Amino acid sequence: MRLFFLFSALLFFFSCGSEQKTTLYLNGRIEGDPYLVESKYPGKVVKLMCDEGDSVEKGQPLAELDSKELNARLKEAEAAYRAALSAWKAKEQEVAALERQADSLRERISELTSAVPLQTSSAEKEVEALEGELHALEAQKSSLAATFWKAERDYKRFEALYRRRVISQSRYEQAKVAYENAKASLRAVEGKIEALKSQLAAAREKVKLSRTRWKEVASLKKELASLLERLKAASAEAKGYRHKAASAKAVVERVKAMLSDMVIRSPVNGVVAEKLVEPGEVVAPGRPLFVIYNLNRLYFEGFVPEKEIGLIHLGQRGYVVVDSYPGKRFPVVVTYVATKAEFTPKEVQTKEERVKEVFKVKLRLLENPRHLLKPGMPADCYVYLERK
């Protein structure tokens, strides 16, 4: 049995000696950068959803502040937004209606501007043609009237002669037929002239009407100018209402954001290290309520004696062991080496060690499976030394 213990002691001695040749031993603690969870706004704590030591996820609610006043403000802001939005929409509808009226007027003006000259020209040509036709009929009437007057004189003369038995009845009948034909021809032309005069009057009325339609165009242009002024004013009002609605909506969003901030949430995945508030307390803006550590971003912090500082540099690998999990190694990498020496911190046990000058170093944990390591755990670290 004594030989067994002697063999075990020698094995431990040689193994330690071998470890010391290939690694630099450091003693220290597992640390992490704390996240101070603060309140953005003042308020009374009405509910706590976690306790010290609890694991939390990013975005998880931790506490809730009283939000009755903000809820009332939100209702007022939403009512103001609805009113502003309604006014804006109504004004937009008015603008749209005015734009439709303006488009209709523009179309009407365009139609008249294109049609009136053609109508006027057509009516003027019709008048010219009817006047020429009337002139010809008037000339024909004059000729037929002369023929009629001669035939009428001959008829009366031959009628008197016939009564005195100077001429024969056949000669009298010839004069009578000539008279009746001349009379009928004259009456026919006169009828045509009267009809033509009616057509001419109507054609002249068309010319007059077509010319007066230019006044309608001018009136419509004036109406359009007035309408465009109204449209400009309504558009400006709509723009103002839109800005008011946007401002009212911004107030709603701001109050909603404030309400959201009344629920205090975890900024990271981690563990609650400290709870600094209790239900019923009134907290001020910026006051820390919780301290949380991200267990995925822990590091080992230790101190290297001045005589050994040349053995360690950034990027070196190593591992950490803790008493809680004997035999399990947690890989680390050097991420920080102090450039200035300091005296050993007071938490070191012996006075002799505290008066030594040391350099602080940090080694980031490359993994923390199942979050086994926690901030504050004592740990031993072995840094692999580079072989020369």
Side-chain angles (χ1 to χ4, degrees), residues 169-350:
Q169 183 177 356
S170 61
R171 186 72 183 88
Y172 164 71
E173 291 294 338
Q174 289 178 357
K176 183 178 180 180
V177 170
Y179 164 69
E180 293 293 339
N181 289 338
K183 181 180 180 180
S185 296
L186 180 59
R187 294 292 181 266
V189 170
E190 288 177 341
K192 289 181 180 180
I193 289 174
E194 290 303 319
L196 198 59
K197 284 182 177 179
S198 297
Q199 294 179 31
L200 182 58
R204 286 172 175 167
E205 189 63 29
K206 285 183 182 179
V207 173
K208 182 179 178 181
L209 180 61
S210 64
R211 289 173 177 172
T212 58
R213 299 191 78 178
W214 285 116
K215 294 181 180 179
E216 182 182 354
V217 172
S219 177
L220 288 175
K221 287 183 176 180
K222 185 177 180 181
E223 183 180 351
L224 177 60
S226 175
L227 184 62
L228 291 177
E229 287 296 323
R230 289 171 54 198
L231 178 59
K232 182 179 179 181
S235 297
E237 290 179 8
K239 185 177 180 180
Y241 282 127
R242 185 181 71 225
H243 288 323
K244 287 181 180 179
S247 298
K249 184 178 181 180
V251 172
V252 171
E253 297 301 325
R254 188 161 57 249
V255 176
K256 283 183 177 180
M258 292 175 68
L259 272 171
S260 177
D261 288 333
M262 299 303 276
V263 177
I264 311 302
R265 301 178 183 274
S266 175
V268 293
N269 296 332
V271 63
V272 179
E274 293 183 72
K275 181 184 69 175
L276 307 175
V277 68
E278 294 295 336
E281 287 189 53
V282 177
V283 298
R287 173 185 166 179
L289 307 182
F290 302 92
V291 178
I292 296 178
Y293 284 92
N294 185 348
L295 299 184
N296 292 321
R297 302 188 65 179
L298 300 181
Y299 55 88
F300 169 86
E301 183 176 283
F303 295 88
V304 179
E306 184 177 10
K307 64 181 181 179
E308 296 180 331
I309 191 62
L311 300 177
I312 193 168
H313 58 78
L314 298 179
Q316 274 181 282
R317 299 289 182 121
Y319 63 89
V320 166
V321 294
V322 295
D323 294 339
S324 301
Y325 305 101
K328 187 171 182 60
R329 296 181 176 185
F330 299 89
V332 293
V333 61
V334 178
T335 56
Y336 172 79
V337 178
T339 58
K340 184 178 180 181
E342 59 181 286
F343 287 110
T344 308
K346 293 182 179 180
E347 57 264 24
V348 176
Q349 298 297 324
T350 65

Side-chain angles (χ1 to χ4, degrees), residues 77-91:
E78 287 177 336
Y81 172 58
R82 286 193 296 270
L85 187 62
S86 177
W88 174 38
K89 295 300 182 184
K91 187 56 67 174

Side-chain angles (χ1 to χ4, degrees), residues 8-132:
S8 298
L10 289 172
L11 180 63
F12 176 78
F13 174 77
F14 285 115
S15 64
C16 289
S18 175
E19 187 76 8
Q20 289 174 354
K21 290 180 182 179
T22 58
T23 61
L24 173 65
Y25 168 75
L26 303 174
N27 179 259
R29 289 179 179 275
I30 302 298
E31 299 290 354
D33 295 325
Y35 289 86
L36 297 180
V37 183
E38 303 173 345
S39 171
K40 191 173 181 179
Y41 300 103
K44 181 180 179 180
V45 179
V46 295
K47 190 176 181 181
L48 288 178
M49 293 92 145
C50 68
D51 209 338
E52 292 181 354
D54 288 351
S55 294
V56 294
E57 296 181 357
K58 183 177 180 179
Q60 178 179 331
L62 306 178
E64 183 178 341
L65 305 183
D66 182 25
S67 58
K68 292 179 182 178
E69 182 180 349
L70 280 178
N71 281 320
R73 286 176 59 185
L74 178 60
K75 289 182 179 180
E76 293 178 0
E78 287 177 336
Y81 172 58
R82 286 193 296 270
L85 187 62
S86 177
W88 174 38
K89 295 300 182 184
K91 187 56 67 174
E92 285 287 340
Q93 291 176 357
E94 179 184 343
V95 169
L98 290 173
E99 286 177 340
R100 288 193 295 271
Q101 292 180 36
D103 289 340
S104 179
L105 281 175
R106 290 190 187 97
E107 185 177 355
R108 180 61 178 160
I109 290 171
S110 178
E111 289 176 354
L112 289 175
T113 303
S114 299
V116 169
L118 295 176
Q119 292 174 354
T120 302
S121 176
S122 176
E124 289 175 344
K125 289 180 180 179
E126 184 180 0
V127 168
E128 184 179 355
L130 289 172
E131 285 178 341

